[in-house]
Amino acid sequence: MLQPGDKKALTILTAVVVAALVIIVGATALVVRGHEESLPTISVQADDTLTQVEPGYWCEVDMTDCEPVDPRSVRQVPENVATSPAPIGSTVLVTVPQDVAAGPWTSVAQYATPQGVVRVFDVHRPDELYTMELRSEPNRVLLGIEFSSLSTVLQDAPQGFDSPDWSVLARGVFAVNTVPDGFEVRNPNLLPDERA
């Protein structure tokens, strides 16, 4: 038989156990919520500044489970343009994560030249390249960079690869504005695109 003092101790012990369980459940919920899958980021090192760039949207390789939206379902594709000024005469280092490098991806660098503005395209094969260097020179000033991770989904392809105007959808697009502080484009004429 329990004595009155034993009942009080048992009540206190029960209250402590219940409080501990509440704390454990709450902490577990916070940890699980804190470890939700985040969007992949590209690292951009310009001058002494490291910038982490998230995509405007990100989908699985088959264009499912898109965050924040499926780009095919909206009029305006979500953009997230990061700013990382690249001083003239500097080298910009860009590192893509495994999520991007594991599949084919593209890069487009835009430069201001005395003759006008030129875009330089490059296509990277899976696991070929994780880090790339881009120079900003007085006669070829780096204005911005865009990276696209490609999906396995074709667009405008009713006959598959035999369709005349097919293209591959991007599963995610990363954009960085690298215009040097105070720089103005003197000749905005668009020049023909180049391949890297």
Side-chain angles (χ1 to χ4, degrees):
M1 177 173 246
L2 293 175
Q3 298 297 322
D6 293 338
K7 288 182 184 178
K8 186 175 182 181
L10 187 57
T11 303
I12 291 172
L13 182 61
T14 303
V16 168
V17 169
V18 169
L21 287 174
V22 168
I23 290 170
I24 290 170
V25 169
T28 303
L30 287 174
V31 168
V32 168
R33 213 174 300 136
H35 282 84
E36 289 178 358
E37 246 183 75
S38 59
L39 297 176
T41 59
I42 286 179
S43 299
V44 178
Q45 176 76 42
D47 203 21
D48 293 333
T49 305
L50 178 65
T51 305
Q52 298 296 326
V53 182
E54 285 191 346
Y57 66 90
W58 184 256
C59 304
E60 292 298 319
V61 73
D62 61 355
M63 294 302 290
T64 59
D65 297 326
C66 297
E67 293 290 330
V69 295
D70 185 329
R72 298 168 294 180
S73 67
V74 294
R75 281 195 138 108
Q76 181 75 26
V77 175
E79 289 184 359
N80 179 31
V81 181
T83 300
S84 186
I88 296 171
S90 69
T91 298
V92 175
L93 294 175
V94 180
T95 303
V96 299
Q98 172 65 28
D99 287 341
V100 173
W105 57 284
T106 63
S107 60
V108 181
Q110 189 171 32
Y111 295 92
T113 71
Q115 297 77 30
V117 176
V118 64
R119 296 185 320 162
V120 180
F121 287 85
D122 204 356
V123 177
H124 308 279
R125 292 181 294 195
D127 295 319
E128 171 189 60
L129 183 70
Y130 286 84
T131 301
M132 61 187 300
E133 293 183 8
L134 300 162
R135 287 282 303 159
S136 186
E137 300 287 351
N139 289 327
R140 196 171 173 90
V141 178
L142 184 62
L143 301 176
I145 321 161
E146 183 176 281
F147 303 92
S148 297
S149 179
L150 303 179
S151 74
T152 57
V153 178
L154 297 180
Q155 177 174 268
D156 300 324
Q159 288 108 24
F161 291 111
D162 293 331
S163 301
D165 297 321
W166 65 271
S167 61
V168 178
L169 290 173
R171 68 186 286 216
V173 177
F174 304 78
V176 188
N177 175 348
T178 58
V179 176
D181 291 331
F183 180 79
E184 291 183 25
V185 176
R186 291 192 178 101
N187 185 351
N189 292 330
L190 295 178
L191 300 174
D193 294 337
E194 297 177 4
R195 285 291 307 257

